[in-house]
Amino acid sequence: MGTDAILMDEYARTHRARLVRSYRESETIPQMAWPARSPDLNPIEHVWDTMRRRIVGRSMPPSTLHELHHSLLQEWALLPQQAINDTIASIPRRCQTCISSRRYRTRY
């Protein structure tokens, strides 16, 4: 991890584990303030969703863990950079919607 890394913690159980907290503290990794119940504001969640839809939409979806791993690597390589850029560009709009509605979730 680079020296400018910041942990974006959306309060997932795995981020709350004692081992993770200890490591974060020992490495002095700063933590970004992040509203609870807000996966819509996390760009990587949208990228994962895009990849999931592409894999599920295949004529032969993976049936083993090995096939899933291979499919994820293929879809990651095929994912257009523009799709990632569009997701990142949508974040200010998502944040504004969240702030305006006070619902913690957006539905884009």
Side-chain angles (χ1 to χ4, degrees), residues 23 31 42 52 54 58 66 70 77 92 105:
Y23 178 77
Q31 190 171 355
N42 184 342
R52 180 194 59 81
R54 291 171 65 135
R58 290 178 170 200
H66 176 74
H70 184 70
R105 286 186 173 262

Side-chain angles (χ1 to χ4, degrees), residues 73-105:
L73 290 176
Q74 282 181 327
E75 291 301 335
W76 180 256
L78 295 172
L79 190 65
Q81 182 62 47
Q82 190 59 47
I84 296 170
N85 294 348
D86 291 347
T87 299
I88 293 168
S90 74
I91 298 304
R93 183 184 73 237
R94 292 173 190 280
C95 289
Q96 188 55 52
T97 300
C98 181
I99 292 166
S100 298
S101 69
R102 297 182 185 196
R103 291 183 314 161
Y104 301 107
R105 286 186 173 262

